[in-house]
Amino acid sequence: MTTATTSFESARAGSRTAVLRRGRRDLLKHLGLGAFVLLMLYPLVWMIVSSVKPDHLILTEPGLIPSEITFDNFVEGWNALNRPFSVFFVNSLVVTVGSIIGNLFSCSLTAFALARLEFRMRNVYLAITLVSVMLPLHVLVIPQYIFFSQLDLVNTYFPLLLPKFLATDAFFIYLMVQFIRTIPRDLDRAAWIDGCGPFRTFWSVVLPLMRPALVTTTIFTFIWTWNDFFVPLIYLTSPKMFTVPVALNSMVDSESQTGVGMLFAMSLVSLLPVLIFFAVAQKQLIRGIATTGLK
Amino acid sequence: MAKRSLQSQGGAAHVFLIPWWLGLVLVTLVPLLASLYLAFTDYNILSTPEFNGLANFERMFKDENFWAAVRVTIVYVVVSIPLQLGFALLLALILDRGLRGLAFYRSAFYLPSLLGTSVAVAILWRQLFGDDGLIDRALSVFGLELGSWLQNPSLSLSTLIVLNVWTFGSPMVIFLAGLRQIPEELYEAARVDGASVIRQFTHVTIPLLTPIIFFNLILQTIGAFQTFTQAQVVSGGTGGPANSTLFYTLYIYQQGFTNFDMGYASALAWVLMAAIGLVTAVHFILSKYWVFYGDD
């Protein structure tokens, strides 16, 4: 009896030291990870701090506490390119919202057909979609540019938006097909028996249930389109059409006139929508990448 | 009845697929064929394309800039991808087992992935590694006087490698999801058999994670081959100094959209596509020897 108690107590004591040891190990982990987070985010924080410093302090003061705070960089940067920066914001917004609508519309239609309707060659279509994910844009962009320039559509948003309405972001089709497969088929069968055609079944039954997939598509289309530089750089030639990244890039080119502070201020402003989206939609975003491997 | 419904579904399917069909033909297939044709022509967008056989490909062999672009891109992929995935895996392993504050760390590490391809961060990098930049100052504290990394041909590419490694958060999140899929019973069984933590790692964790490692490897490699924004902004579109950051896609852009040498640019693009296809195929072939799928 006594031996049993002692062994029981020693086991408890043992587990207590284990907990303590674990606590100490976790503390070390947190210290290490915290330092690493600081190191990783230092550039971003430095950019934020620098954006409220006068130019001459940005390069002489590496610390994070500014000795002098000014918002001139934002005011001057906003107007540094002959027109207020809000113009580029509106342009980016038009392109981004257009792309989101296009992707939601075209990819959901395609995904529903590929996941739910019976027709010959379905698997071939699905395979084509998957292969097209790997096709580098650079092979297609030259003929696309020639095509749009012959139609006199260069320097419009048409070349940026048309592909989105034609289900060319195959990643999202794949994502939605995978998602639709998790929705019980009985639901469409019931709708079918109730006399719904494929369109009603899609619109009233499947589409509302696809919300998580639609949300993921919206978030990623937003961030990718907002950050996209290559395609707008090619198609948008007049400054009044520029999206935010192209405008920022043209600020870099005239850096001698605009200062570093203004560049930082406008860079920060350009990241704000993405940062806000990140803050609001973190969970869905992380889940989206975890399940599909989207960036 | 069943047959009729099948036919009517087939009809409906083709209505649903109208956007996809148009996209496949207009945005993908026709441009793909056109680009293949243009690769064998001399075309400056103003005159009609002139067929010139293999001249574009012969030109590449003698084109120093082409070889510079190939070298820069290969060095970038070969150095930055293992580093990026290594960091991603290491951090995922540290974060995996019941650590508090996981959500915070995950978000903090993921944030750079989200911003990494933006012009704004490329501008930030220009300042960090530029003349009198933060990095230069930090290193001079330790007595390392390297000067501006961006003006030094032997250091400029490393700044972009650092930028890519900095975005390890996205593969890390995928690794974390993969680690969570590994059944706890396997670890328990290993412990019962007396396996040490290291043995558990090499005999349970790593084998079961190989499909995810493979997935990340393919995805990040294809992405790295197509790096453009960072190179364009950091080098001001030149690919300099001394072609040290002349990424392959930047060279395609210069030839196609600065010089309007569309035939040559198309040929360059096809070489890129062939390279990506080849590398992906090699990865798939090699994967048979190291990727472990549970069913085998």
Side-chain angles (χ1 to χ4, degrees), chain A residues 172 216-224 285 288-289 294-295, chain B residues 110:
Chain A
F172 297 122
T216 307
T217 302
T218 304
I219 296 169
F220 280 101
T221 307
F222 180 92
I223 290 167
W224 288 350
L285 238 161
I289 327 150
L294 292 170
K295 267 217 195 188
Chain B
Y110 178 63

Side-chain angles (χ1 to χ4, degrees), chain A residues 40-48 226-227 229 244-245 248-249 252 263-264 266-272 274-275, chain B residues 110-130 150 159-160 162-167 229-235:
Chain A
M40 273 198 69
L41 299 187
Y42 193 87
L44 291 172
V45 179
W46 182 65
M47 175 168 75
I48 296 170
W226 190 270
N227 281 341
F229 176 57
V244 170
L248 263 180
N249 185 54
V252 176
L263 263 181
F264 277 177
M266 290 304 105
S267 295
L268 182 61
V269 166
S270 80
L271 292 179
L272 277 183
V274 176
L275 292 173
Chain B
Y110 178 63
L111 186 63
S113 307
L114 211 54
L115 310 177
T117 57
S118 67
V119 170
V121 164
I123 289 174
L124 173 61
W125 239 246
R126 248 176 99 110
Q127 301 302 332
L128 277 178
F129 289 94
L150 295 178
T159 64
L160 293 166
V162 170
L163 178 49
N164 196 36
V165 176
W166 189 61
T167 64
T229 306
Q230 301 90 310
Q232 162 81 20
V233 175
V234 167
S235 75

Side-chain angles (χ1 to χ4, degrees), chain A:
Chain A
M1 191 67 203
T2 10
T3 45
T5 333
T6 29
S7 78
F8 175 70
E9 262 169 7
S10 75
R12 242 183 43 182
S15 83
R16 216 170 58 217
T17 50
V19 166
L20 278 176
R21 207 181 307 132
R22 206 188 136 85
R24 217 173 298 144
R25 211 185 53 205
D26 277 6
L27 186 71
L28 276 176
K29 258 193 193 178
H30 282 299
L31 285 176
L33 285 169
F36 195 56
V37 167
L38 278 182
L39 182 73
M40 273 198 69
L41 299 187
Y42 193 87
L44 291 172
V45 179
W46 182 65
M47 175 168 75
I48 296 170
V49 173
S50 299
S51 70
V52 294
K53 277 183 193 170
D55 266 0
H56 66 276
L57 284 183
I58 293 176
L59 294 176
T60 51
E61 230 184 49
L64 291 184
I65 297 155
S67 58
E68 196 184 327
I69 289 184
T70 165
F71 291 97
D72 289 355
N73 288 329
F74 288 90
V75 179
E76 285 165 32
W78 196 264
N79 296 303
L81 288 173
N82 297 326
R83 45 177 64 74
F85 217 78
S86 49
V87 171
F88 312 121
F89 252 83
V90 172
N91 293 343
S92 269
L93 207 64
V94 169
V95 173
T96 306
V97 171
S99 300
I100 291 172
I101 295 171
N103 269 346
L104 289 179
F105 161 79
S106 65
C107 298
S108 65
L109 280 179
T110 310
F112 177 76
L114 294 180
R116 278 300 206 254
L117 299 177
E118 303 286 339
F119 57 96
R120 286 197 318 158
M121 309 270 283
R122 188 170 74 159
N123 289 332
V124 178
Y125 286 17
L126 208 54
I128 293 174
T129 305
L130 283 181
V131 170
S132 71
V133 175
M134 288 205 251
L135 214 57
L137 173 66
H138 307 87
V139 181
L140 306 175
V141 77
I142 291 162
Q144 281 174 5
Y145 178 84
I146 295 165
F147 174 72
F148 285 119
S149 80
Q150 275 165 359
L151 294 175
D152 226 2
L153 289 168
V154 169
N155 204 29
T156 68
Y157 298 136
F158 203 75
L160 279 60
L161 294 177
L162 180 75
K164 310 286 171 185
F165 279 87
L166 299 182
T168 50
D169 276 352
F171 241 140
F172 297 122
I173 299 176
Y174 171 71
L175 175 112
M176 291 185 196
V177 166
Q178 295 298 88
F179 192 85
I180 293 173
R181 283 180 177 163
T182 65
I183 301 171
R185 261 190 190 262
D186 294 345
L187 287 171
D188 343 359
R189 283 206 199 93
W192 188 258
I193 288 163
D194 287 346
C196 286
F199 295 97
R200 284 277 320 252
T201 311
F202 166 68
W203 185 255
S204 318
V205 180
V206 176
L207 200 61
L209 291 171
M210 277 168 71
R211 244 187 79 173
L214 301 178
V215 170
T216 307
T217 302
T218 304
I219 296 169
F220 280 101
T221 307
F222 180 92
I223 290 167
W224 288 350
T225 315
W226 190 270
N227 281 341
D228 187 26
F229 176 57
F230 184 61
V231 176
L233 180 70
I234 286 168
Y235 286 110
L236 306 178
T237 50
S238 76
K240 72 171 197 293
M241 298 295 286
F242 281 179
T243 56
V244 170
V246 186
L248 263 180
N249 185 54
S250 74
M251 259 179 109
V252 176
D253 291 340
S254 56
E255 198 187 337
S256 42
Q257 291 117 52
T258 58
V260 187
M262 277 187 247
L263 263 181
F264 277 177
M266 290 304 105
S267 295
L268 182 61
V269 166
S270 80
L271 292 179
L272 277 183
V274 176
L275 292 173
I276 292 169
F277 236 77
F278 178 65
V280 173
Q282 255 186 74
K283 251 189 205 151
Q284 285 94 326
L285 238 161
I286 302 252
R287 202 182 305 137
I289 327 150
T291 49
T292 59
L294 292 170
K295 267 217 195 188

